[in-house]
Amino acid sequence: PGAPRERRRRRGRARGRTEALLHTLKRSRRVKANDRERNRMHHLNAALDQLRSVLPTFPDDTKLTKIETLRFAYNYIWALSETLRLA
């Protein structure tokens, strides 16, 4: 009990991994993260395109930006709600 014990450092998952293997793992994780982000943006853009298709825009050939689409949709919903409230 009086003698100090040696403490071992735990390295967890990193034990035995070479620098090259760590680089490969990091690159693989980055590629997967990029794929997830690309998919997320594709879904977001598809949803915004669907929203644009139901909003009345003048002229019809004008494509609203993302923020313009969201603001216009908010205002359009508000105007419809006010119309219903007053009717």
Side-chain angles (χ1 to χ4, degrees), residues 26-70:
K26 286 180 182 180
R27 176 178 285 160
S28 173
R29 288 179 185 148
R30 176 56 24 214
V31 167
K32 288 178 184 178
N34 288 347
D35 286 342
R36 285 191 304 271
E37 178 64 11
R38 192 175 305 107
N39 267 339
R40 187 186 73 82
M41 288 306 301
H42 282 309
H43 286 96
L44 177 62
N45 288 331
L48 285 166
D49 286 338
Q50 283 183 315
L51 182 57
R52 282 185 194 104
S53 72
V54 298
L55 293 174
T57 57
F58 306 101
D60 289 334
D61 60 350
T62 303
K63 182 180 176 186
L64 300 171
T65 65
K66 291 175 185 177
I67 192 68
E68 288 171 342
T69 302
L70 293 174

Side-chain angles (χ1 to χ4, degrees), residues 4-18:
R5 292 184 179 178
E6 287 185 30
R7 295 186 182 184
R8 295 181 185 176
R9 289 187 178 184
R10 292 186 183 187
R11 294 184 181 188
R13 293 182 181 184
R15 185 185 314 172
R17 292 187 177 167
T18 65

